[in-house]
Amino acid sequence: GRDYLAAKKEADAFDSLSKLAADYAEEKAPADLTESAGETTDQEKAAEWAELLKEAAGYAALKNENPDYVGWIRIPDTRIDYPVVDRESDPEYYLHRAFDGSKSFGGTPFLGEASGVDTKCLIIYGHNMKNLSMFGSLKKYKTEDFYKDHQFFTIYTSECAYRYQIFAYYDVPETDEVYTVGFAPDDTFQKFIDKMKQKSYDDTGVNVTKDDHIMTLSTCSTTGKRFVVHAVRIGEHALEK
């Protein structure tokens, strides 16, 4: 019915954006990306980063489609493969708006109020859709063994391809301190990180310190609660300008 058609329209729109980025990557990405993939002697690793950089170069073109575009997030084996937007003057502008600004129940993943702050702990919000679109796939981390083979994801910006490793995930009240931002690399931030790890449904064993950059993915859960997934940045490679 109507819900299915609306969901399909939303999915098709994001697919079109992904194809646009892929086409741009093929046309515009430098031919020597492998050389710019970092000072690594591991050829397989270098090839992996080269592919990430090629994709990042394509996604960077989406800034031309929408000035609020800040990056693209992709988590393997989930439906999370979306642009991330940010409008500092109205942080929740995309809560129920598509990438082009039109009305959309599923909205577009967006950065929270801290986006304009030089912070080591950013938050991306997305709806928990029943069809697993948007951030609905995050609930898979509540199932046994899903984390084991899905610890890593990538965020592409116009400057870099960033790799993240998930280290904690759990449900929290909507007003939980986990939504605090604006940390400096000090003992307060370390205690904050330690609390994240203590609350996690699983002990992932991932080492995280106050000098690291944290990305939190947040979606709705049961009434009055949200499900959060915390990840630490483990690698970054800049695009050639």
Side-chain angles (χ1 to χ4, degrees), residues 3-240:
D3 289 346
Y4 170 79
L5 292 175
K8 187 176 187 308
K9 182 181 176 183
E10 291 173 4
D12 288 347
F14 286 119
D15 285 345
S16 295
L17 286 174
S18 185
K19 186 177 185 305
L20 179 68
D23 290 346
Y24 183 86
E26 289 298 327
E27 292 173 15
K28 306 293 185 182
D32 61 346
L33 272 171
T34 305
E35 294 178 18
S36 65
E39 300 297 320
T40 175
T41 55
D42 186 332
Q43 285 190 320
E44 189 176 329
K45 194 84 171 173
E48 179 188 340
W49 274 111
E51 184 60 31
L52 290 177
L53 288 171
K54 180 180 177 181
E55 292 173 342
Y59 288 128
L62 296 180
K63 191 80 171 175
N64 299 328
E65 304 296 314
N66 182 346
D68 291 337
Y69 170 82
V70 292
W72 192 282
I73 181 171
R74 180 189 296 162
I75 302 181
D77 299 325
T78 74
R79 293 189 63 179
I80 299 173
D81 190 9
Y82 296 113
V84 179
V85 287
D86 176 36
R87 181 169 289 201
E88 287 185 38
S89 60
D90 186 3
E92 294 191 359
Y93 179 80
Y94 288 95
L95 186 65
H96 292 297
R97 283 188 173 91
F99 187 76
D100 64 2
S102 61
K103 287 185 178 180
S104 165
F105 183 73
T108 306
F110 62 93
L111 286 175
E113 294 181 5
S115 61
V117 181
D118 182 15
T119 178
K120 296 178 72 65
C121 192
L122 287 172
I123 303 171
I124 301 176
Y125 296 87
H127 285 294
N128 177 15
M129 304 299 285
K130 288 182 180 178
N131 67 357
L132 301 185
S133 63
M134 296 302 113
F135 280 6
S137 300
L138 288 181
K139 65 172 72 79
K140 289 186 175 185
Y141 286 97
K142 296 184 183 183
T143 62
E144 191 175 359
D145 291 337
F146 185 78
Y147 170 79
K148 186 170 64 175
D149 294 321
H150 302 88
Q151 299 180 33
F152 305 96
F153 64 85
T154 307
I155 292 180
Y156 307 86
T157 72
S158 55
E159 292 86 29
C160 284
Y162 296 104
R163 288 286 281 167
Y164 286 87
Q165 182 175 16
I166 295 168
F167 68 89
Y169 42 92
Y170 49 93
D171 288 289
V172 295
E174 291 177 349
T175 55
D176 194 79
E177 63 179 352
V178 75
Y179 295 104
T180 306
V181 290
F183 286 100
D186 55 20
D187 289 342
T188 301
F189 188 37
Q190 185 63 59
K191 288 176 182 175
F192 187 67
I193 292 168
D194 292 342
K195 277 188 180 179
M196 290 176 175
K197 297 177 76 171
Q198 288 165 11
K199 292 178 182 176
S200 181
Y201 288 148
D202 289 300
D203 180 1
T204 61
V206 179
N207 185 46
V208 187
T209 74
K210 64 182 186 295
D211 297 314
D212 287 318
H213 289 267
I214 307 299
M215 182 65 72
T216 295
L217 310 180
S218 174
T219 193
C220 291
S221 185
T222 53
T223 304
K225 292 204 168 186
R226 290 175 178 166
F227 182 60
V228 292
V229 174
H230 303 297
V232 57
R233 188 189 300 173
I234 58 170
E236 60 181 274
H237 282 269
L239 273 68
E240 296 281 310

